[in-house]
Amino acid sequence: MYEAFYICASEMYQRKYMDFLLKNYEDLRLPYSFPVAFRFIASPVLLLHECFLCVDEDGEAVGAFSYIHGTGEGNYEDRHIVQLQVAYLISPKRRTALFLLGMHTLAEHLNDLNEEVTELVFWTGTDAYAGRLFSKFAERTSIGESVVEYRVSLNRLNTYLSKFKRRIPV
């Protein structure tokens, strides 16, 4: 079983990222109307920010995540804050090792950027499983009717991930 995360650096991979997420749109269970959800999915591609695709040994997409710099409250000028727009793994691939590989990929990428990133913001559902998972490394900063906001400093994320061995794809 082999999976690896790659930056969608070409139009072909950006298209594959979009196709994958739209194909799995219902499973994303985004608590927004489709036009709003589509903006979350497409904005990293349209705004020339980063999106990542997880592929298996056959080159098939099995997961994806993306982010943008800045927040709406900061008029997107607070570029030291990264907002994760979407993160998804297909059900048969949801396991701790692959989740950690994605987190390592993201953290290493953010650490290597030419601009300083100090904080990550992301949202998830209000279910107990998500709460247990994300509270291991992030702080819940707000809770709504259908979404929970989490924040974590990049330093804290790096410290958390240092507890786990990084699986290097071969």
Side-chain angles (χ1 to χ4, degrees):
M1 198 176 296
Y2 168 85
E3 295 93 9
F5 286 88
Y6 298 99
I7 296 175
C8 299
S10 69
E11 186 178 317
M12 179 185 77
Y13 279 101
Q14 291 169 347
R15 188 174 324 119
K16 197 170 187 173
Y17 159 88
M18 292 293 298
D19 289 346
F20 172 77
L21 289 174
L22 291 173
K23 176 183 170 188
N24 292 286
Y25 172 74
E26 286 189 25
D27 292 334
L28 293 174
R29 295 182 291 141
L30 297 173
Y32 313 107
S33 66
F34 179 77
V36 172
F38 184 75
R39 282 199 325 255
F40 279 107
I41 292 169
S43 61
V45 173
L46 298 173
L47 297 173
L48 303 175
H49 291 286
E50 302 295 354
C51 51
F52 295 75
L53 198 60
C54 181
V55 297
D56 65 12
E57 62 273 0
D58 297 322
E60 294 298 317
V62 298
F65 69 86
S66 61
Y67 69 84
I68 62 170
H69 287 270
T71 64
E73 304 86 52
N75 205 26
Y76 299 96
E77 294 175 13
D78 49 355
R79 295 184 52 82
H80 63 284
I81 300 174
V82 162
Q83 291 188 83
L84 290 172
Q85 297 294 89
V86 67
Y88 179 74
L89 290 169
I90 61 171
S91 183
K93 299 294 183 174
R94 289 183 196 148
R95 58 186 194 283
T96 302
L98 192 54
F99 175 78
L100 288 171
L101 179 62
M103 295 297 290
H104 273 288
T105 301
L106 174 61
E108 288 174 356
H109 175 77
L110 295 175
N111 288 323
D112 291 341
L113 287 178
N114 288 333
E115 61 183 297
E116 184 178 5
V117 171
T118 60
E119 185 176 25
L120 290 84
V121 179
F122 60 96
W123 298 266
T124 187
T126 57
D127 60 283
Y129 174 77
R132 285 190 309 275
L133 175 65
F134 297 116
S135 66
K136 292 178 182 179
F137 61 88
E139 180 182 341
R140 185 179 73 197
T141 52
S142 72
I143 186 165
E145 186 175 309
S146 58
V147 294
V148 178
E149 179 187 84
Y150 287 90
R151 290 180 177 258
V152 62
S153 71
L154 184 54
N155 287 337
R156 182 173 175 192
L157 180 61
N158 286 329
T159 299
Y160 174 77
L161 292 172
S162 70
K163 300 174 187 176
F164 304 97
K165 184 179 179 184
R166 167 79 154 93
R167 189 186 84 181
I168 310 276
V170 285

